[in-house]
Amino acid sequence: MAEIAVVYHSEHHGNTKKLLEGIAADYPIDLFDVKDADIGGLSKYRAVGFASGIYMGSFHESLLDYIKREPKLPKQAFLIYTSGSGNEKYGSGFASTLKGSGVKVLGIYNCRGFDTYGPWKLMGGISKGHPSSEDIKNGVKFLRRILPQGK
Ligand SMILES: Cc1cc2nc3c(=O)[nH]c(=O)nc-3n(C[C@H](O)[C@H](O)[C@H](O)COP(=O)(O)O)c2cc1C
């Protein structure tokens, strides 16, 4: 078992899952698809991340539902998301919800993710090639900064 868990939702092109699996190759994290995540299963972790694509401006609602039902959240959390636009503000609503539950939000990491939703499909999509290997490296750096290993 790793010290850090990440509960995620990734449905459009698997972008968020690809990013997380790339990060997990260099920084130990246990990954749980929110569909399969046990309620009560996070209490043994030092910190938890919540990760998602952005759908209509928000993290996927299944993650919000999860934190409402999960009574034993670790006291420290972080957020990771991928979005077509790369907008830096998408994490703030989810972060406020976590803070309202008494959880400290250590940081938010985001990168672009290939997006063929709606009109973008006609143009062949936007943010092609993302998450890239650079995006994955930056994700690893982010985790090493907010949660140094062995400390
Ligand atoms: C239904 C839907 C709505 C989306 N809404 C947004 C949005 O509001 N802003 C944005 O930047 N990207 C938006 N996107 C693009 C996704 O956030 C992006 O492709 C993300 O990387 C998908 O992650 P996933 O492959 O892990 O599901 C949307 C995609 C879909 C399918």
Side-chain angles (χ1 to χ4, degrees), residues 85-103:
S85 63
N87 186 315
E88 302 279 333
K89 295 191 177 152
Y90 286 136
S92 55
F94 198 92
S96 299
T97 306
L98 279 171
K99 285 176 199 161
S101 314
V103 176

Side-chain angles (χ1 to χ4, degrees), residues 10-16 54-57 82 84-85 90 114-115:
S10 182
E11 67 176 33
H12 186 35
H13 286 288
N15 296 328
T16 310
I54 296 298
Y55 316 100
M56 304 308 193
T82 65
S85 63
Y90 286 136
F114 182 45
D115 181 6

